[in-house]
């Protein structure tokens, strides 16, 4: 029997996508949760060429990155497929998956670190089902209480300054417009979810963990897609952003 081990970080949306695809295909796996930021050198020590999650070990073979994971899973088990058989449809799904990975995925990551610096205790909600390594062997509340250096490093790595976070919040509405349009066109949100659905839906699901954003996203087609694919996404972040920073997203809802 094939042995699959998934390396993840609590709250990581790309890792959530990998988990959802494994479970969609019914492939058994063992999950190893690593602590955020510290995971980067740990991935190197585990023998992976890069420093990011998600990462798989499949019978000892190493696969890293959510787009590589989707292709590996289809190679391991054809049904249910994560990509259409038709070449043109597959190319469209691959492009949407690329956009979700390279352009959309960073948005929730950037705004998360800024918020968690101000509501440090909210980190506990992301650790609810995490393994002991992710908590550095500590109870969740103690791990969070001592997380200051990790949060500061996360802010620096993701350039989560006031200016960047405000600009990122303004860019969420156009990104969601793209997702809603793809759903209307049938590229996303079909009866059989694709790799693009899982990739993009995970980012939307993480955005919906923010109390400031959830009511502005939940009624949209993108929000319904995320709720369908990720009905129990762990993590909640209290209201934190200045109201004027949220105005572009509110205006989009009102339009």
């Amino acid at each position: 029997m094939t042995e699959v081990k998934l390396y993840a970080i609590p709250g990581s949306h790309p890792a959530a996508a990998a988990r959802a695809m494994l479970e969609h295909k019914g492939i058994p796996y063992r999950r190893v949760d690593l602590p955020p930021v510290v995971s980067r050198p740990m991935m190197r020590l585990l023998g992976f060429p890069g420093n990011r999650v998600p990462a798989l070990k499949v019978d000892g073979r190493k696969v890293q990155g959510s787009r590589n994971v989707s292709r590996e899973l289809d190679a391991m088990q054809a049904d249910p497929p994560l990509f259409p058989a038709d070449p043109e449809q597959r190319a469209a799904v691959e492009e949407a998956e690329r956009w979700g990975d390279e352009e959309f995925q960073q948005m929730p990551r950037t705004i998360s670190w800024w918020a968690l610096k101000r509501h440090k205790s909210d980190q506990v909600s992301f650790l609810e089902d995490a393994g002991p390594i992710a908590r550095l062997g500590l109870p969740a509340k103690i791990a969070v209480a001592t997380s200051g250096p990790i949060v500061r490093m996360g802010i620096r790595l993701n350039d989560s300054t006031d200016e960047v976070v405000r600009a990122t919040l303004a860019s969420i509405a156009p990104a969601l417009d793209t997702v809603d349009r793809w759903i209307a066109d049938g590229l996303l949100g079909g009866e059989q979810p694709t790799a693009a659905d899982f990739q993009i839906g995970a980012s939307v699901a993480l955005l919906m963990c923010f109390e400031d954003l959830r009511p502005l996203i939940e009624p949209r087609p993108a929000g319904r897609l995320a709720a369908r694919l990720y009905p129990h996404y762990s993590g909640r972040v209290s209201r934190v952003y200045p109201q004027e920073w949220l105005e572009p997203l509110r205006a989009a809802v009102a339009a």
Side-chain angles (χ1 to χ4, degrees), residues 28-229:
Y29 68 97
R30 185 163 73 89
R31 186 175 118 207
V32 179
D33 288 318
L34 304 176
V37 179
V38 181
S39 62
R40 295 189 177 207
M42 293 177 74
M43 294 305 298
R44 299 286 195 182
L45 291 172
L46 288 165
F48 287 92
N51 61 8
R52 307 298 286 270
V53 300
L56 294 181
K57 280 187 178 178
V58 182
D59 288 338
R61 188 173 70 260
K62 299 177 181 69
V63 181
Q64 200 165 16
S66 51
R67 282 193 283 167
N68 291 329
V69 166
S70 62
R71 286 149 183 79
E72 175 68 21
L73 297 183
D74 259 5
M76 287 175 59
Q77 182 174 302
D79 293 317
L82 293 169
F83 296 92
D86 177 81
E88 287 188 11
Q89 292 177 4
R90 180 181 179 113
V93 167
E94 288 179 338
E95 173 56 22
E97 184 193 29
R98 183 210 61 76
W99 176 87
D101 181 25
E102 295 182 3
E103 300 183 39
F104 189 36
Q105 186 187 102
Q106 184 60 33
M107 294 181 191
R109 189 180 292 124
T110 297
I111 68 171
S112 294
W113 289 107
W114 190 95
L116 292 173
K117 177 184 177 182
R118 289 152 179 83
H119 288 301
K120 194 158 69 169
S121 63
D122 286 347
Q123 294 175 72
V124 174
S125 66
F126 290 95
L127 294 171
E128 287 173 348
D129 64 345
I133 298 175
R135 295 181 272 106
L136 300 175
L138 301 170
K141 289 185 178 180
I142 295 176
V144 167
T146 59
S147 67
I150 288 177
V151 172
R152 288 193 294 273
M153 182 75 73
I155 287 171
R156 187 161 70 250
L157 289 171
N158 292 280
D159 195 24
S160 298
T161 64
D162 288 5
E163 182 180 6
V164 171
V165 169
R166 184 172 187 173
T168 300
L169 287 166
S171 70
I172 289 172
L176 292 173
D177 288 343
T178 296
V179 178
D180 288 350
R181 184 174 67 252
W182 282 341
I183 292 172
D185 292 344
L187 176 58
L188 299 177
E191 182 177 346
Q192 185 68 254
T194 67
D197 286 293
F198 288 113
Q199 177 77 248
I200 292 169
S203 291
V204 178
L206 179 52
L207 288 172
M208 289 170 61
C209 290
F210 293 81
E211 291 182 4
D212 280 319
L213 305 182
R214 187 177 188 93
L216 304 174
I217 298 174
E218 196 169 33
R220 301 180 63 134
R224 293 194 291 274
L225 174 66
R228 170 188 157 200
L229 297 179

Side-chain angles (χ1 to χ4, degrees), residues 224-238:
R224 293 194 291 274
L225 174 66
R228 170 188 157 200
L229 297 179
Y230 300 95
H232 306 296
Y233 199 104
S234 295
R236 286 294 175 268
V237 181
S238 305

